[in-house]
Amino acid sequence: MKVYFSPASPFVRKVMVCAQELGLEVERLPSQAHPVERDRVIVADNPLGQVPTFFADDGTVLYDSRVICEYLDAVAGGGRLFPAPGPGRWRALVEQSLGDGLIDAALLARYEAVVRPAEARFEPWVGGQMDKIAVALDRMQEWAPSLRGRVDIGTITLGCALGYLDFRFPDLDWRGGRDALAGWYAEFGRRPSMAASAP
């Protein structure tokens, strides 16, 4: 199994954390994913030109992180990171959706700051993305007690989202007023899979 890799991508990190938690080896292929200067090597396998783009041992190409992580869980026997149908599954999938959405908003805010020319930047757009992040963090704070002791696609995605904020938005005080969430993340972030994949 192989994946086009970028050490800064929170979506690639999510895949690598899942792989390590499941005891699976995934080879890292270098790539240069970019929202404007698209890596044609990636595009040849994934028209979106995004990472992670994953290659199964039989040559099947998979994307995006949600599909890849579920595939890895199935390869490992199923049901370890993606709970069986029922309330636990829907909870984990909603947590994954919120974490992915927070990451999307953070990426859009970052691209506005570092990719778009200064004269074309639209600050209300950045404000809208940062508001999504703040409201998502507040919901995660509410969820924090239910996150403890769990390792599944929901907690992994939320952990990778918080890690991305620390990496790309170090001045954002997301822990302020969110002690329960900060405490959960401090513990979850010490997992070997999280420590090994930190950008």
Side-chain angles (χ1 to χ4, degrees):
M1 295 183 289
K2 303 176 183 180
V3 67
Y4 280 126
F5 179 81
S6 169
S9 167
F11 291 119
V12 171
R13 184 182 191 191
K14 181 176 151 186
V15 168
M16 301 310 290
V17 169
C18 286
Q20 185 166 341
E21 290 289 345
L22 294 166
L24 300 173
E25 292 290 331
V26 178
E27 181 182 347
R28 301 173 181 187
L29 303 175
S31 66
Q32 297 294 323
H34 191 275
V36 178
E37 299 166 9
R38 292 168 18 97
D39 184 334
R40 295 297 162 183
V41 173
I42 303 173
V43 171
D45 294 299
N46 175 351
L48 301 175
Q50 296 173 334
V51 293
T53 297
F54 179 90
F55 303 89
D57 288 339
D58 66 1
T60 301
V61 180
L62 301 174
Y63 42 86
D64 61 8
S65 67
R66 288 169 288 198
V67 175
I68 298 166
C69 292
E70 191 159 3
Y71 174 83
L72 292 172
D73 193 56
V75 166
R80 292 177 56 189
L81 299 181
F82 285 78
R89 180 177 180 84
W90 313 133
R91 173 180 66 180
L93 292 180
V94 168
E95 291 165 353
Q96 176 180 220
S97 292
L98 185 69
D100 283 346
L102 188 157
I103 293 168
D104 284 336
L107 286 167
L108 290 172
R110 175 160 171 77
Y111 290 158
E112 190 76 12
V114 301
V115 175
R116 191 180 298 276
E119 65 276 7
R121 290 180 191 150
F122 186 49
E123 288 307 316
W125 170 266
V126 175
Q129 304 312 312
M130 298 309 291
D131 184 62
K132 287 182 193 178
I133 292 169
V135 176
L137 288 166
D138 290 341
R139 181 59 50 87
M140 290 162 64
Q141 164 72 8
E142 294 172 13
W143 288 348
S146 72
L147 303 177
R148 292 196 176 278
R150 289 173 37 216
V151 180
D152 58 30
I153 194 58
T155 57
I156 289 169
T157 307
L158 296 177
C160 290
L162 296 175
Y164 188 71
L165 293 182
D166 281 347
F167 177 57
R168 290 299 194 198
F169 297 86
D171 296 331
L172 178 66
D173 180 23
W174 67 259
R175 291 171 177 82
R178 302 185 185 98
D179 292 347
L181 182 61
W184 169 77
Y185 179 67
E187 181 180 338
F188 193 80
R190 289 194 293 268
R191 293 189 67 80
S193 62
M194 291 291 289
S197 61

